[in-house]
Amino acid sequence: MLDAEDKAALHTPDGVVAEPVPFRDEEGYINRDFVDLVAEAISASDTERLQALVEDFHESDLGDLIEALEPDLRPRLIELLGSAFDFAALTEVDEAIREEILEELNTATLAEGVRDLDSDDAVTILESLAEEDKAEVLDQLPPMERIALQRSLDYPEESAGRRMQTELIAVPPFWTVGQTIDFMRDTADLPETFYEIFVIDPAGHLLGAVALDRLLRSKRPVTIQDIMDDEPDRVEATQHQEEVARLFERYNLVSAAVVDEAGRLVGVMMVDDIVDVLEEEADADIKQLGGVKPDEELSDTVFYIQRSRFPWLFVNMCTALVAANVIGFFEESLERMVALAILMPIVASMGGNAGTQTMTVAVRALATRELGRTNAWRIIRREATVGLLNGLLFAIILGVLAGFWFQSFDLGLVIGLALVTVLLFAALGGIFVPLTLNRLGVDPAVSSGPFVTSITDIVGFFAFLGIATAWFAL
């Protein structure tokens, strides 16, 4: 069996044995040469070559490969692999990318892929679909699977019910250890991973749980009731996922039963699901700290990001205008350049906050290894474009305001040019500084802030005052 590092050490289409091309480099980033090989196989519709390259890939590696491909190649990869494609890989990609891919796939393909997934992964796929498509996929599933998935989808978003896995093992309390072990040996459709056996009454109410290690150490004639923990770890299906994550973190849990409002067992939360929750919550917190929407992803388009960041910057502009207006109360005691002194805090403040937005996304992406050499220039170009667009918009807004405020068209033009320059350089500084620090082995999360702030302040004051001096000297 070939692992992910040896996939490209295969015959090329012309029959020549190629030099090994590892999937990841020494630092764990995706190798661009490997991605190019996969892209060539997809473009040539070479199914055999493609399967040889990606067979036995872990779902996480396959998800990273999908993200590295060009958008038009992603659905074709799935179509060419057919039944060999593991749909769990789609749970490992950015939500925006997943939605784009799902839009290109027919419902029959989706239904076939969802049928082979664990329920929690299937729910992740289904909740990314439009309601009409979701209903069509569910209609093509077996009744028991459809009912279980629909029940999970009926729970609120970000609840334990949405995150839970419905595949579990539940037995009555009067069964013996021997019966339970024989049942697990003889049943083919068991959960792929489980750590405990749940004990329920005829109505499905949770009575207790038995850890696998305790089960295997007990004698066969002993009843489950005698060895079960009658106060098992449990969470409610409607409980928020962040609260559940805190329970897992506090008590070092690896799994917990999920019950409904009547105490009936409806699923199980696993530690791997909690890791995802903790990552999502940390991701959201750090993005919000920088004024970025929690759902922003590296795969989002320039215009989506520009629109999502614009409101926060607009609020910041309004607060900066208030500060500028306070300075304006001293206008009569200042000389000719009073307008520049009043407007300077706006330029500095907006540059600093725009740089912080870009820096927040870059630092988080570096921490999760979503940002590396393979996609750095693409992200740099995207951030520069976002900065330029926001700069142009705020140049118009503040240029008009400054022009009317001080009755000077020239002053409005000066601050407009300064804002375009500052927001562009703030975006570039916000991504170049973390990348440089990371390259030098310094933690960008700790050190990026002061550097980015300094860059935006220096550029902001220099651009504003330099442009003003040059313009009014004409």
Side-chain angles (χ1 to χ4, degrees), residues 110-141:
L110 290 174
E112 186 65 30
V114 166
R115 186 179 293 118
D116 296 329
L117 295 178
D118 289 338
S119 57
D120 52 342
D121 290 335
V123 168
T124 300
I125 299 293
L126 289 170
E127 64 186 3
S128 299
L129 297 173
E131 289 299 322
E132 182 179 346
D133 294 333
K134 186 190 305 179
E136 289 184 21
V137 172
L138 287 171
D139 287 341
Q140 297 182 47
L141 298 178

Side-chain angles (χ1 to χ4, degrees), residues 38 46 52 120 136-137 154 158 171 188 191 225 251 347 364 378 391 394:
V38 173
D46 190 343
D120 52 342
E136 289 184 21
V137 172
D154 288 339
E158 299 187 344
V171 300
Q225 187 170 13
Y251 300 112
V347 177
R364 182 59 182 167
R378 177 170 61 85
F394 282 104

Side-chain angles (χ1 to χ4, degrees), residues 177-199:
V177 169
Q179 282 179 288
T180 304
I181 293 175
D182 291 340
F183 168 76
M184 290 189 291
R185 287 174 176 168
D186 297 335
T187 303
D189 191 22
L190 290 179
E192 184 175 339
T193 304
F194 58 96
Y195 303 103
E196 56 187 341
I197 309 297
F198 297 106
V199 186

Side-chain angles (χ1 to χ4, degrees), residues 5 15-16 32 83 267 295 367 371:
E5 299 300 314
V16 179
R32 188 69 243 178
S83 60
D295 62 350
L371 177 59

Side-chain angles (χ1 to χ4, degrees), residues 96-172:
I97 292 178
R98 181 167 59 247
E99 291 176 353
E100 289 176 2
I101 293 173
L102 294 177
E103 287 179 1
E104 299 296 324
L105 301 177
N106 59 58
T107 55
T109 301
L110 290 174
E112 186 65 30
V114 166
R115 186 179 293 118
D116 296 329
L117 295 178
D118 289 338
S119 57
D120 52 342
D121 290 335
V123 168
T124 300
I125 299 293
L126 289 170
E127 64 186 3
S128 299
L129 297 173
E131 289 299 322
E132 182 179 346
D133 294 333
K134 186 190 305 179
E136 289 184 21
V137 172
L138 287 171
D139 287 341
Q140 297 182 47
L141 298 178
M144 294 301 294
E145 292 182 25
R146 180 172 65 250
I147 293 171
L149 291 175
Q150 186 62 64
R151 180 172 58 185
S152 294
L153 290 167
D154 288 339
Y155 286 113
E157 291 185 18
E158 299 187 344
S159 67
R162 281 289 184 98
R163 285 285 186 177
M164 70 182 180
Q165 180 177 308
T166 57
E167 295 86 6
L168 51 82
I169 300 175
V171 300

